[in-house]
Amino acid sequence: MTERLRTSLRAVQPGDVRALAAAEVECFEDPWPEAYFASELFAPGRFQRILVDPAGVLAAYLFTAWQYLDLHILKIATLPEHRRNGLGRRLMAVAEEHARAMAGETLTLEVRLTNTGAITLYESLGYERMGVRRGYYADNSDALVMTKRVCASG
Ligand SMILES: CC(C)(COP(=O)(O)OP(=O)(O)OC[C@H]1O[C@@H](n2cnc3c(N)ncnc32)[C@H](O)[C@@H]1OP(=O)(O)O)[C@@H](O)C(=O)NCCC(=O)NCCS
């Protein structure tokens, strides 16, 4: 674990897109291109937040999309040098707070079956394994679908 990093939470701005695309290459095998981040920024029903260090440099990011009463976690990542510092957990809490505040019923995500670190994080937060989507990723690998219910009556 790196030393504790003080970060601030804020909304994503168009000027962040380049840094997001650069971070994405470090974080994912199938990175979103810069243009995709830009299109997500202004798409309807979206909720996005980033954590930045005291110098304003990107440390972690969260992209979500509403699908009816489900808040879908499209993307969550922490820059490699800041992992195991609680940033991923914090962003997942931010997503859940948003889902509750908007009277959402569930949060859902897909994660590679091989991504045991992320699965550990989600299970620790109460996400349940709902099933497997075969060949979900561009390289044809499978995704585990995980959901957390946040509304008792839903
Ligand atoms: C998954 C990811 C977002 C976690 O971010 P993070 O900031 O390191 O997560 P946190 O520090 O909040 O971790 C919280 C808990 O999750 C679990 N966890 C996180 N990464 C883990 C790992 N590599 N191995 C085992 N457990 C892990 C641990 O229980 C951890 O608590 P601990 O550090 O007290 O043991 C980060 O590893 C990442 O960006 N990975 C690449 C992108 C990715 O896979 N995103 C998810 C796609 S679905």
Side-chain angles (χ1 to χ4, degrees):
M1 183 161 113
T2 55
E3 68 182 46
R4 277 287 165 198
L5 180 73
R6 255 183 333 112
T7 52
S8 328
L9 181 75
R10 67 166 172 80
V12 183
Q13 296 159 1
D16 297 317
V17 163
R18 183 166 295 178
L20 283 163
E24 185 76 354
V25 175
E26 289 191 63
C27 294
F28 291 96
E29 294 163 36
D30 48 355
W32 281 3
E34 196 171 319
Y36 196 85
F37 276 106
S39 69
E40 275 294 310
L41 217 50
F42 298 107
R46 299 304 202 263
F47 174 77
Q48 302 128 356
R49 289 292 182 269
I50 57 173
L51 288 168
V52 295
D53 75 9
V57 176
L58 180 68
Y61 52 103
L62 167 79
F63 278 67
T64 71
W66 281 103
Q67 292 173 356
Y68 300 100
L69 294 175
D70 177 71
L71 186 66
H72 203 99
I73 313 277
L74 299 175
K75 180 73 72 183
I76 179 166
T78 299
L79 273 287
E81 61 270 32
H82 298 312
R83 287 185 191 158
R84 304 306 290 269
N85 250 319
L87 304 188
R89 189 185 292 280
R90 186 166 163 208
L91 284 177
M92 289 299 291
V94 166
E96 189 172 325
E97 278 162 27
H98 176 68
R100 289 180 190 277
M102 302 296 284
E105 291 185 352
T106 51
L107 295 109
T108 299
L109 56 86
E110 285 89 15
V111 56
R112 281 179 194 267
L113 275 169
T114 51
N115 195 345
T116 51
I119 293 170
T120 301
L121 168 61
Y122 304 143
E123 287 190 324
S124 78
L125 296 171
Y127 283 75
E128 292 177 25
R129 297 172 184 237
M130 306 304 287
V132 171
R133 287 204 177 128
R134 299 279 168 215
Y136 178 79
Y137 294 101
D139 64 1
N140 208 36
S141 58
D142 302 334
L144 175 64
V145 182
M146 302 186 78
T147 293
K148 180 171 184 175
R149 181 162 290 280
V150 290
C151 167
S153 61

